[in-house]
Amino acid sequence: MTRQVGTVAKWLNRKGIGFITPQAPQADDATGDYLVHYSNIKQGSSNGDKGRSFKSLAEGSLVEFETAVDPKNADKMIAINVTAVGGGDCERQSKTFGRRNFSGEAH
């Protein structure tokens, strides 16, 4: 499979999904963005947890990925085997993203 490079456009922690905008849009996906599920993200390989911890993507980070047919919709493609550029672990979304402090203000 051919690997593509793209930017994480959006990450939804509660759903464990996000969207990647490829640098060079492919003919196989008319929308331009690819859905990615947390199970297709490479993270945690360096700390020995073998990928079992919570996975997320930092919005705006560059990633490499392959595409496959969406098992829920054969007319769409999804991102799989998502890694950092060069094959390393993907950058995680900041743990403070969207959290509020005790005064109710966003961090």
Side-chain angles (χ1 to χ4, degrees), residues 14-30:
R14 290 181 185 221
K15 294 186 177 191
I17 62 169
F19 298 92
I20 299 172
T21 302
Q23 285 185 342
Q26 303 293 307
D28 61 5
D29 190 51

Side-chain angles (χ1 to χ4, degrees), residues 27-105:
D28 61 5
D29 190 51
T31 65
D33 286 354
Y34 294 101
L35 175 76
V36 59
H37 187 262
Y38 76 90
S39 63
N40 286 305
I41 300 170
K42 179 183 177 189
Q43 278 178 342
S45 61
S46 61
N47 64 9
D49 71 3
K50 299 183 183 181
R52 290 185 290 245
S53 65
F54 182 78
K55 297 178 184 178
S56 65
L57 292 173
E59 291 180 15
S61 63
L62 283 178
V63 294
E64 282 184 353
F65 61 98
E66 297 170 1
T67 58
V69 174
D70 184 340
K72 294 182 179 181
N73 183 348
D75 295 332
K76 292 198 170 246
M77 301 296 285
I78 61 170
I80 61 169
N81 300 326
V82 180
T83 67
V85 175
D89 286 353
C90 293
E91 181 182 348
R92 296 177 194 265
Q93 185 178 54
S94 169
K95 290 184 180 184
T96 60
F97 184 83
R99 290 189 181 175
R100 298 187 180 272
N101 63 22
F102 290 111
S103 66
E105 297 174 11

